Amino acid sequence: MKVLMFGWEFPPHITGGLGTACYGLTKALSNFGTDMIFVVPKLFGDEKAPFMRLREAGSIELIHDESEQKMVWEKLQYIEVGSNLIPYLDPEIYARLFENTVLNTEEIKYRIFSEKFQFSGSYGPNLLEEVSRYAIIASVIAAQNTFDVIHSHDWLTYPAGIAAKEVSGRPLVIHVHATEFDRSGENINQNVYDIERRGMEAADRIITVSNLTRRIVIEKYGISEDKVFTVYNGVQTGNYKEHDFTRGVDEKVVTFLGRITYQKGPDYFVEAANLVLKKDPNVRFVMAGSGDMMTRMIRRVAKLRIADKFHFTGFLKGDDVHRMFAISDVYVMPSVSEPFGISPLEAMTANVPVIISKQSGVSEILNHAIKIDFWDIDEMADSIYGLLHYEGLTDMFKKYGRSEVENLKWDHAAHRVNEIYRDVTGLE
């Protein structure tokens, strides 16, 4: 099976679980003999993936003979004039398109096919522009390569998947790691929602990371349940080794590790920490991550007068994550809406007992984790206190949690994904 796969990030350059999931899945797929071209906007030179071909969208030269230009451009007409997905190649053209709502195809085509696009590889203010340009590159890559199926990870790459499908005629599988309802609640970004829905409608099969996400796709986006399949993520158990890290403090350590955004519920963690410290002041709380709510959380911690027991580390990755888990006594994931949640699995692999919200996809498959409603800070605080003070309870969750998570392998996910590939292509 030959797969053209589109992602937005790849380890070690990640901002969350998406890149980690892409690595785990692709490595496992290679064990089944799957041949993959994995495209990302930008490569930094230190990515390690000998099991597949990594391609950088920014390295693709868009100069072709006239017949190929015409074919690719005609296949890109699905991009609507006047939407934020239009590939605005410079401010003047962008302004002109919106003022006149008329697409001068000759001028735009000349601009597209006479230069390389440079990508930041990040999630900056020009994100929609980069998503659009990425789709253009995808169409060219699709025209230049042979493959059996297209696989696009998350909304940023759905337009790329659609473009590749339009050019090649190959079936499209999209992988929903999160939806706009997870990221923003009911106050959704309409542009992002529209991109997600367009991708879901164009897809021949949709993979969701949990049944929770599957229900959202069916109910919120109006997608037929017949083409939506749940495939749970796995965890890289081999990454965590026994380390002798110095804690540096005598107190127990309780950790939150994730983006400090609405979706992850950091405010509930702070409130629960305050309740725990009222009962036991000999505890340290760590919020590891970054995000748009970080300043607000720092101010709340200061207002509650618990700053001497609360630490903000900023974004952690690689060995720093391992080190954080190694010195943690409890891990808490109080997500308001979590499609899956790989970090609790990583914590359990490191012998850390976990508390997770019932509103997370990973709660569907974990038995040896304490599950609470994200909004119930009293129950969260009681659960933290119990794991810190009752050794028998902690030992039970460590023992059986580690055993449980070791059976959640990426090979299982890869096997199921390969079945979906075979079903949609008709190939064995």
Side-chain angles (χ1 to χ4, degrees):
M1 186 72 66
K2 295 183 178 180
V3 183
L4 176 60
M5 193 174 290
F6 296 101
W8 199 260
E9 60 181 35
F10 197 81
H13 302 278
I14 59 175
T15 61
L18 177 60
T20 302
C22 287
Y23 179 86
L25 178 61
T26 53
K27 186 176 182 181
L29 282 170
S30 70
N31 295 334
F32 290 89
T34 307
D35 183 12
M36 291 163 288
I37 300 173
F38 191 94
V39 186
V40 290
K42 183 178 177 64
L43 290 175
F44 297 85
D46 53 354
E47 296 85 357
K48 294 180 175 62
F51 46 85
M52 65 181 178
R53 288 171 285 169
L54 278 174
R55 296 288 302 275
E56 179 182 17
S59 70
I60 304 300
E61 182 69 52
L62 299 178
I63 298 178
H64 308 278
D65 62 59
E66 183 59 31
S67 61
E68 188 174 359
Q69 287 184 19
K70 186 173 185 296
M71 178 194 72
V72 173
W73 180 250
E74 287 175 350
K75 291 294 186 181
L76 281 172
Q77 293 303 303
Y78 79 94
I79 299 178
E80 298 175 2
V81 178
S83 79
N84 280 339
L85 265 183
I86 198 70
Y88 39 103
L89 307 182
D90 60 46
E92 290 77 18
I93 291 181
Y94 176 62
R96 193 179 312 138
L97 289 176
F98 276 75
E99 287 171 4
N100 301 328
T101 64
V102 174
L103 183 63
N104 183 333
T105 57
E106 292 303 318
E107 182 175 11
I108 300 293
K109 183 168 72 173
Y110 173 78
R111 294 292 190 108
I112 289 176
F113 294 105
S114 62
E115 60 179 299
K116 288 183 180 179
F117 291 146
Q118 296 300 315
F119 294 89
S120 67
S122 64
Y123 300 85
N126 297 323
L127 184 58
L128 282 178
E129 179 180 358
E130 294 204 359
V131 167
S132 303
R133 292 180 173 186
Y134 191 51
I136 296 169
I137 300 293
S139 69
V140 177
I141 293 174
Q144 293 175 343
N145 292 273
T146 58
F147 48 89
D148 302 305
V149 63
I150 304 155
H151 191 151
S152 289
H153 291 276
D154 239 16
W155 73 271
L156 297 155
T157 73
Y158 295 168
I162 297 172
K165 178 180 179 178
E166 291 285 342
V167 169
S168 67
R170 300 300 183 188
L172 170 63
V173 176
I174 68 166
H175 208 133
V176 184
H177 297 266
T179 70
E180 182 59 12
F181 292 95
D182 298 305
R183 290 181 291 267
S184 305
E186 294 300 320
N187 300 314
I188 62 170
N189 181 317
Q190 190 63 41
N191 288 326
V192 175
Y193 173 84
D194 290 342
I195 294 171
E196 290 179 328
R197 185 170 183 176
R198 188 178 293 119
M200 293 173 188
E201 291 173 343
D204 298 277
R205 297 290 186 276
I206 299 172
I207 297 173
T208 57
V209 294
S210 64
N211 288 326
L212 171 68
T213 305
R214 183 175 185 268
R215 287 194 298 272
I216 292 174
V217 168
I218 294 167
E219 296 170 6
K220 299 286 190 180
Y221 294 83
I223 303 301
S224 171
E225 62 182 23
D226 296 337
K227 71 173 184 178
V228 189
F229 301 87
T230 295
V231 178
Y232 292 112
N233 288 332
V235 63
Q236 294 290 121
T237 55
N239 283 346
Y240 289 88
K241 301 177 182 178
E242 296 298 328
H243 293 287
D244 184 22
F245 292 124
T246 302
R247 188 190 296 250
V249 294
D250 295 329
E251 299 99 326
K252 296 290 183 70
V253 175
V254 181
T255 299
F256 168 108
L257 189 148
R259 294 192 308 278
I260 307 178
T261 62
Y262 162 83
Q263 177 190 352
K264 302 296 183 178
D267 41 348
Y268 300 101
F269 179 74
V270 170
E271 300 304 325
N274 184 48
L275 295 178
V276 172
L277 288 168
K278 287 180 178 178
K279 295 174 66 175
D280 181 2
N282 295 313
V283 183
R284 298 271 180 162
F285 289 85
V286 177
M287 184 165 283
S290 59
D292 60 356
M293 289 181 65
M294 186 168 183
T295 300
R296 190 167 128 198
M297 293 303 96
I298 293 172
R299 288 174 176 169
R300 181 58 179 162
V301 165
K303 186 173 182 180
L304 291 170
R305 299 182 182 277
I306 58 173
D308 60 330
K309 297 293 183 178
F310 211 103
H311 305 267
F312 294 88
T313 69
F315 179 72
L316 300 181
K317 63 180 180 179
D319 287 341
D320 288 336
V321 173
H322 301 179
R323 187 176 294 107
M324 191 66 251
F325 284 141
I327 65 174
S328 297
D329 295 286
V330 177
Y331 174 75
V332 184
M333 187 185 77
S335 298
V336 174
S337 179
E338 185 71 48
F340 186 75
I342 291 177
S343 56
L345 305 184
E346 295 175 329
M348 292 166 72
T349 299
N351 287 319
V352 181
V354 303
I355 301 167
I356 60 176
S357 73
K358 296 176 183 177
Q359 292 74 26
S360 63
V362 75
S363 70
E364 298 172 12
I365 59 172
L366 285 182
N367 295 313
H368 297 95
I370 296 179
K371 303 173 188 180
I372 51 106
D373 288 307
F374 71 86
W375 45 262
D376 195 337
I377 59 172
D378 292 305
E379 186 178 7
M380 192 185 306
D382 288 343
S383 299
I384 293 170
Y385 186 88
L387 288 173
L388 292 177
H389 289 85
Y390 299 103
E391 189 174 335
L393 182 68
T394 301
D395 289 344
M396 181 195 72
F397 278 107
K398 283 183 178 181
K399 177 182 177 181
Y400 293 107
R402 176 67 181 263
S403 176
E404 181 176 30
V405 79
E406 284 180 346
N407 291 316
L408 299 175
K409 300 181 184 301
W410 277 112
D411 281 347
H412 300 326
H415 175 73
R416 184 71 184 105
V417 170
N418 260 326
E419 287 182 334
I420 293 171
Y421 289 162
R422 288 194 292 269
D423 176 57
V424 77
T425 62
L427 299 174
E428 291 299 326

